């Protein structure tokens, strides 16, 4: 297992277009998280899944954002009608979940979105 | 609401110790973490501490927690140029739950 994989690494899109990012977590991890990081800031929580169930969504996740994890494995994050303010690094992380000896997440390298 | 604060920048000389500080406001924070982020990369978990602990040591890293003052610090002994990165502290209330991050401290190590 090579860790958490995110694709694409970079995405440049025109304002108003839709974009979709993919995250492949560590295979035995049942929790998957999405965070957004803007330049010079710490990551901000967007949403997380326990298997295929989306358990929590941040108020940052507007109606234009939707995340899925249909089979409890990989996840997609879609942004509709992108705005310049959506430009950021989108980070995915996974963890074994509660009750595990590993309390930290494993983060992917992120997808950098630039909206022009 | 939760708030996690860090100083923006720290510069040290190679071989010295670095101390990165963090304060948080939520007294129900149970798990506290330190992550490292190098340019263009994701976040790497360095260490974590439970709120019922005062100190944790892991090789060159020492984490100190003052729960009364809600203050967390990360000490890096014998700092190397490869330690240059941004360091984030983060807290969560339960294991596997969402993390709240500070804004990060940029550590610059001068040869």
């Amino acid at each position: 297992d090579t860790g958490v994989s995110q694709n694409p690494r970079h995405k440049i899109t025109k304002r108003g277009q839709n974009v979709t990012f993919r995250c492949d977590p560590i295979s035995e991890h049942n929790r998957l998280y999405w965070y957004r990081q803007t330049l010079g800031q710490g990551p901000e929580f967007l949403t997380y899944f326990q298997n295929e169930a989306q358990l929590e969504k941040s108020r940052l996740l507007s109606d234009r954002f939707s995340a899925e994890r249909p089979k409890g494995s990989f996840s997609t994050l879609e942004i509709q009608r992108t705005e310049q303010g959506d430009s950021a690094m989108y980070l995915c992380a996974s963890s074994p979940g509660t009750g595990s000896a590993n309390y930290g997440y494993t983060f992917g390298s992120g997808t950098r979105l630039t909206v022009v | 609401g939760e708030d996690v604060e860090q100083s923006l920048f720290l510069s040290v000389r190679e071989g010295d110790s670095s101390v990165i500080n963090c304060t948080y406001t939520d007294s129900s924070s149970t798990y506290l973490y330190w992550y490292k982020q190098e340019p263009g990369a994701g976040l790497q978990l360095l260490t974590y501490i439970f709120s019922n602990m005062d100190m944790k040591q892991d090789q060159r890293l020492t984490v100190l927690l003052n729960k009364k003052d809600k203050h967390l610090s990360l000490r890096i002994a014998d700092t190397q140029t490869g330690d240059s990165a941004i360091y984030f502290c983060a807290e969560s209330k339960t294991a596997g739950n969402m993390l709240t991050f500070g804004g990060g401290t940029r550590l610059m190590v001068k040869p």
Side-chain angles (χ1 to χ4, degrees), chain B residues 13-111:
Chain B
R13 292 221 172 266
E14 190 174 21
D16 288 350
S17 291
S18 307
V19 179
I20 302 171
N21 294 301
C22 172
T23 57
Y24 58 98
T25 58
D26 194 340
S27 56
S28 62
S29 298
T30 306
Y31 301 91
L32 297 137
Y33 305 86
W34 284 103
Y35 282 85
K36 175 182 180 183
Q37 187 176 38
E38 295 179 270
L43 284 83
Q44 174 195 354
L45 177 65
L46 292 177
T47 187
Y48 62 89
I49 190 168
F50 302 128
S51 60
N52 61 359
M53 298 168 66
D54 298 324
M55 186 185 87
K56 181 179 180 182
Q57 187 154 3
D58 185 359
Q59 300 182 338
R60 292 190 298 123
L61 306 179
T62 303
V63 179
L64 294 178
L65 175 62
N66 181 328
K67 193 174 179 183
K68 174 176 169 289
D69 294 338
K70 302 189 189 68
H71 182 267
L72 182 72
S73 68
L74 174 69
R75 179 178 180 269
I76 306 173
D78 187 25
T79 314
Q80 303 297 305
T81 55
D83 294 325
S84 293
I86 301 175
Y87 290 80
F88 292 95
C89 69
E91 63 86 21
S92 74
K93 293 175 185 42
T94 58
N97 207 341
M98 59 169 280
L99 295 176
T100 299
F101 285 86
T105 299
R106 181 178 295 275
L107 174 65
M108 179 180 290
V109 183
K110 298 178 182 177

Side-chain angles (χ1 to χ4, degrees), chain A residues 20-56:
Chain A
T20 301
F21 312 140
R22 176 179 170 128
C23 172
D24 288 89
I26 292 173
S27 56
E28 62 266 27
H29 285 182
N30 56 31
R31 286 205 172 183
L32 185 149
Y33 312 81
W34 286 99
Y35 284 78
R36 181 174 69 186
Q37 185 179 23
T38 52
L39 203 61
Q41 303 295 317
E44 295 173 297
F45 170 77
L46 293 177
T47 188
Y48 86 92
F49 293 84
Q50 169 97 9
N51 300 313
E52 65 274 9
Q54 190 172 17
L55 295 188
E56 191 169 350

Side-chain angles (χ1 to χ4, degrees), chain A residues 20-23 34 49 66-70 74-78:
Chain A
T20 301
F21 312 140
R22 176 179 170 128
C23 172
W34 286 99
F49 293 84
S66 62
E68 294 182 341
R69 195 183 183 197
F74 73 91
S75 175
T76 57
L77 177 68
E78 182 184 16

Side-chain angles (χ1 to χ4, degrees), chain A residues 84-97:
Chain A
Q84 286 188 321
D86 297 332
S87 296
M89 175 79 86
Y90 289 84
L91 294 165
C92 176
S94 68
S95 81

